[in-house]
Amino acid sequence: MVLQQTPRMSVKCPGCSGAMTAMTLGGRLGATVLIDTCPACQAFWFDTHENLQLSPGATLQLFKLIGEHSSAGKSRLGDILRCPRCASRLALTHDMQRNTRFKYWRCDKGHGRFVTFFDFLKEKDFIKPLSPEQLQELRQNVQTVNCSNCGAPIDLASGSICTHCGSPLSMLDMK
């Protein structure tokens, strides 16, 4: 359950420089975790290790937030992202959760990291790449799909990667 949701004017979104909204969520062992969200960029700012401290219920609350803002237009992220704590340039970081690749931008000074809603779902292993068999079955039934990351159309006859943002086709794992 979300305990609190208030605008924090002092925290600027690394993606769009707008004000982020602070959310106090349940953490592991009864603790609370304060994270910053930007519905315009569809992204989260996690201070150091906050993403690991979230309780399962808090993670579900973030999924609900993602769902509530998924139909809204997504702001384009800036070319240079800056840490909301120290204003240093954030480093693009690629990581893996089991066999799913995801990315985020981290502060080299250890203040935290910025992750999009889509990559957060990949990090938590709820979105997975399609197997070759699943991709073939999809191609037999559908010609075009929209990218889960940016919304651009993907012509399945010519490929399985979004030509706009480079995201591979993936699926939401309901299990």
Side-chain angles (χ1 to χ4, degrees):
M1 172 168 58
V2 176
L3 303 175
Q4 179 184 3
Q5 201 173 26
T6 57
R8 283 198 328 191
M9 299 308 283
S10 62
V11 178
K12 281 187 174 182
C13 174
C16 69
S17 298
M20 297 190 86
T21 301
M23 292 180 68
T24 303
L25 299 166
R28 297 196 180 272
L29 303 174
T32 59
V33 180
L34 181 68
I35 68 160
D36 299 294
T37 67
C38 181
C41 289
Q42 297 182 356
F44 302 117
W45 174 264
F46 292 106
D47 288 332
T48 306
H49 305 298
E50 284 179 334
N51 60 315
L52 301 174
Q53 298 168 4
L54 294 172
S55 69
T59 300
L60 291 176
Q61 283 299 122
L62 291 179
F63 289 0
K64 181 179 177 187
L65 177 75
I66 290 168
E68 290 170 352
H69 293 91
S70 65
S71 62
K74 178 180 173 184
S75 296
R76 184 182 177 284
L77 298 180
D79 294 329
I80 297 175
L81 306 183
R82 301 226 173 252
C83 175
R85 306 290 183 239
C86 69
S88 66
R89 188 175 183 161
L90 297 176
L92 178 60
T93 305
H94 297 272
D95 208 337
M96 233 172 146
Q97 172 63 275
R98 296 194 178 118
N99 68 342
T100 304
R101 296 182 187 282
F102 66 97
K103 66 184 176 195
Y104 57 91
W105 293 262
R106 65 177 166 72
C107 175
D108 282 336
K109 295 181 181 174
H111 293 124
R113 64 196 196 105
F114 184 69
V115 63
T116 64
F117 289 175
F118 183 66
D119 279 296
F120 177 75
L121 290 172
K122 289 164 83 175
E123 174 187 353
K124 296 300 182 184
D125 210 28
F126 281 89
I127 292 182
K128 300 177 184 219
L130 292 171
S131 70
E133 296 80 19
Q134 291 168 323
L135 184 56
Q136 184 58 35
E137 182 182 341
L138 185 61
R139 283 185 172 134
Q140 289 174 356
N141 297 310
V142 180
Q143 294 177 354
T144 304
V145 295
N146 289 336
C147 176
S148 300
N149 190 34
C150 72
I154 301 173
D155 180 4
L156 296 175
S158 63
S160 61
I161 296 176
C162 177
T163 56
H164 181 71
C165 72
S167 294
L169 275 180
S170 55
M171 68 176 181
L172 182 61
D173 186 354
M174 298 305 286
K175 292 180 186 175

